[in-house]
Amino acid sequence: MTFRENYTKSILPKLKEQLGLANINAAPHLRAVVIHVGFGKRTKEANFIEHVRKSLGNITGQKPVNTLAKQSISNFKVRKGSVIGMKVTLRGLRMYDFLEKLITITLPRVPDFRGISKKVIDETGNLNVGFKDHISFPEVDVQEIADPHGIQITVVTDAGTKKRGLALFELMGFPFKKDESNK
């Protein structure tokens, strides 16, 4: 059974029952997964930018797009419209495949991983996870890495509240820390 089939046939009915909803369509659903890499001080390094483009493409199976600065900031030498990062937005089958890979393969490969903090879920029920380096992904060849970069993953839902989002992510199998309270 694929992750998408498991989500629709098993997770959503359990979520409906757990939240006490009358209709399965009222349960929180996944909308998109956004994978983002910011360049920071390395916006002028063409080799680094090409490395990020290649690694994001390998990790997601989709071509990344440039993210542009919305305003100029003189202290950081950033002009409005300049490229400051790259992102990929996954929806549909690629989203479910990426989440399955994230939960079952990537997170267990993170060094010293003890679970995701429940604080990474925002007030609207979206999950935001950051990695210090992208080496944990199986598509990345460690032998080719000259300089690992960070990566930010946002799982967008229509949960509306932190409690509903947490219930969805726990049923999906995200490994949360056990000793934290539900804050």
Side-chain angles (χ1 to χ4, degrees):
M1 181 183 304
T2 65
F3 190 73
R4 185 176 192 170
E5 290 171 350
N6 183 37
Y7 175 76
T8 56
K9 293 179 181 174
S10 177
I11 294 171
L12 284 180
K14 287 178 186 174
L15 190 61
K16 175 189 159 211
E17 181 182 317
Q18 183 178 343
L19 296 176
L21 302 171
N23 189 347
I24 200 163
N25 293 326
H29 287 78
L30 295 172
R31 292 293 170 223
V33 174
V34 180
I35 300 100
H36 178 265
V37 174
F39 296 150
K41 297 177 182 177
R42 306 178 95 184
T43 57
K44 304 282 190 251
E45 296 180 28
N47 290 339
F48 177 74
I49 293 171
E50 190 55 39
H51 168 69
V52 170
R53 181 181 316 280
K54 182 180 175 186
S55 66
L56 264 181
N58 288 341
I59 289 170
T60 62
Q62 194 168 306
K63 183 180 176 184
V65 297
N66 294 331
T67 54
L68 306 177
K70 295 181 181 177
Q71 63 185 16
S72 297
I73 304 171
S74 63
N75 287 347
F76 296 120
K77 298 178 183 171
V78 174
R79 300 264 184 235
K80 181 178 181 179
S82 61
V83 178
I84 58 171
M86 289 186 182
K87 72 175 182 176
V88 175
T89 303
L90 301 175
R91 291 185 175 88
L93 188 57
R94 282 193 181 165
M95 172 183 68
Y96 291 105
D97 290 343
F98 179 80
L99 285 174
E100 180 179 24
K101 178 178 63 174
L102 179 69
I103 295 168
T104 59
I105 299 171
T106 306
L107 288 176
R109 289 179 59 165
V110 174
D112 297 328
F113 182 70
R114 291 187 177 89
I116 300 172
S117 172
K118 293 179 182 177
K119 296 177 185 176
V120 300
I121 300 175
D122 63 15
E123 295 303 316
T124 58
N126 301 325
L127 178 79
N128 299 290
V129 179
F131 293 89
K132 290 183 181 177
D133 54 31
H134 68 296
I135 295 174
S136 300
F137 288 91
E139 296 85 3
V140 176
D141 186 13
V142 181
Q143 305 300 328
E144 294 180 7
I145 303 295
D147 49 351
H149 57 79
I151 194 166
Q152 175 72 30
I153 299 172
T154 302
V155 182
V156 182
T157 68
D158 63 357
T161 65
K162 187 172 185 170
K163 178 184 171 192
R164 290 167 52 105
L166 179 62
L168 172 64
F169 294 127
E170 284 178 337
L171 285 174
M172 285 177 63
F174 276 92
F176 289 102
K177 291 182 180 176
K178 303 289 185 219
D179 58 350
E180 270 187 349
S181 63
N182 265 349
K183 292 183 180 179

